[in-house]
Amino acid sequence: MTNVATTATIPPVRPAAHTAPRFDMYVSIHKALRHFMTDTLHRVGRLDVEDAAETGQVLGQLDSLLTLCIDHVHNENRFVHTAIEARQPGGAGRTEQEHVEHLESIEALRAEGRALADAPATERPLLALRLYRHLALFVAENLQHMHFEETHNNAVLWACYSDAELFALHQQIIASLPLDETLLVARWMIPASTPAERAAMVGGMKAGAPAPVFQQVVDAFRPHLDETAWDRLARAVGVAQQPGLVDFR
Ligand SMILES: [Fe+2]
């Protein structure tokens, strides 16, 4: 695996960029990706390759993660980078190139996953360790990449667009997602968010989505919130607090 940037390339954290009251279209999806990536890395690292069921489950989660990463790259290229380049030509150049490298890394990781699944038992421990280390490098690269997007790319977006324009762009992205991707993102995003962020997102979904769709979204993330978090969210958005039951009030 290559393409892992050094820490020297990370721009310094600028508090103003993190506290500015501007619309941030990166923050929630990136929290979802950080959650999904680190959980998957953890599961690959502790994998018992002698357990066929666990191996299948973990490699399935890895495949799901990598598919979401591909979709995320394409969505950012199609919507966010296009918006940046329209008003600041060259402004998305670095992250555009990093996306090319991410797609190459994803194909390599998929090949390693397939190799592990198909290997004889004696070879699986070493193949699993190789996959774990290379997935760790991929996660490391993505953590740095997302930080650059949330600082540099956001600074460009905020300089070139109003919040109303950015919100409209974000709504276009959400509307473009197939339902299964929306549910997968909700499963990782809602538990990874603060109580205030959860209330805003889930409240918005309750107000804007058809009831059956909202029920599916809740079902996707509900098992992954503890009782305290669910109780607080249910009170904030006005849904019944019994597990598995959403009552619109
Ligand atoms: Fe990106």
Side-chain angles (χ1 to χ4, degrees):
M1 298 289 287
T2 57
N3 309 326
V4 176
T6 67
T7 53
T9 64
I10 302 175
V13 172
R14 288 166 289 185
H18 290 263
T19 56
R22 294 296 310 270
F23 181 73
D24 184 346
M25 69 174 66
Y26 284 114
V27 62
S28 293
I29 184 61
H30 281 181
K31 282 191 173 183
L33 289 173
R34 288 180 177 103
H35 187 197
F36 199 179
M37 286 178 181
T38 52
D39 183 87
T40 306
L41 178 63
H42 180 56
R43 290 180 188 277
V44 172
R46 74 183 190 201
L47 174 63
D48 176 3
V49 293
E50 295 181 7
D51 185 327
E54 181 189 355
T55 301
Q57 190 277 328
V58 170
L59 291 179
Q61 178 169 324
L62 174 66
D63 189 63
S64 176
L65 168 67
L66 296 177
T67 297
L68 182 61
C69 288
I70 292 172
D71 291 343
H72 179 66
V73 162
H74 290 321
N75 289 335
E76 286 189 343
N77 288 348
R78 176 184 172 193
F79 293 101
V80 185
H81 288 179
T82 298
I84 290 173
E85 292 293 328
R87 298 194 182 176
Q88 189 175 111
R94 170 172 161 170
T95 47
E96 189 85 28
Q97 178 55 38
E98 288 176 350
H99 283 175
V100 173
E101 296 164 357
H102 290 175
L103 294 176
E104 294 171 356
S105 296
I106 287 167
E107 285 312 305
L109 288 167
R110 280 193 154 153
E112 291 192 21
R114 287 193 297 271
L116 172 58
D118 296 340
T122 55
E123 296 179 14
R124 285 182 199 147
L126 274 180
L127 291 175
L129 182 57
R130 182 179 72 164
L131 175 61
Y132 172 66
R133 287 176 171 152
H134 288 169
L135 180 59
L137 293 178
F138 178 72
V139 172
E141 157 57 24
N142 273 270
L143 293 177
Q144 297 183 74
H145 171 84
M146 289 189 284
H147 180 81
F148 187 80
E149 290 177 327
E150 290 168 19
T151 51
H152 174 272
N153 285 14
N154 256 343
V156 175
L157 289 167
W158 291 339
C160 297
Y161 289 90
S162 69
D163 276 350
E165 290 174 312
L166 295 177
F167 183 77
L169 179 61
H170 189 246
Q171 292 301 102
Q172 282 185 47
I173 299 172
I174 292 173
S176 76
L177 301 180
L179 179 59
D180 60 347
E181 185 171 339
T182 298
L183 298 178
L184 181 66
V185 168
R187 179 260 176 272
W188 295 102
M189 178 187 289
I190 301 301
S193 299
T194 67
E197 290 168 340
R198 289 177 195 145
M201 288 187 284
V202 177
M205 290 179 219
K206 183 188 173 194
V213 173
F214 180 65
Q215 178 71 62
Q216 288 185 74
V217 172
V218 172
D219 289 346
F221 70 74
R222 170 70 184 90
H224 307 286
L225 289 182
D226 62 31
E227 288 306 311
T228 300
W230 169 248
D231 181 71
R232 187 168 176 177
L233 177 61
R235 292 175 188 277
V237 302
V239 299
Q241 295 171 46
Q242 293 88 345
L245 175 63
V246 176
D247 178 22
F248 298 92
R249 291 182 283 193

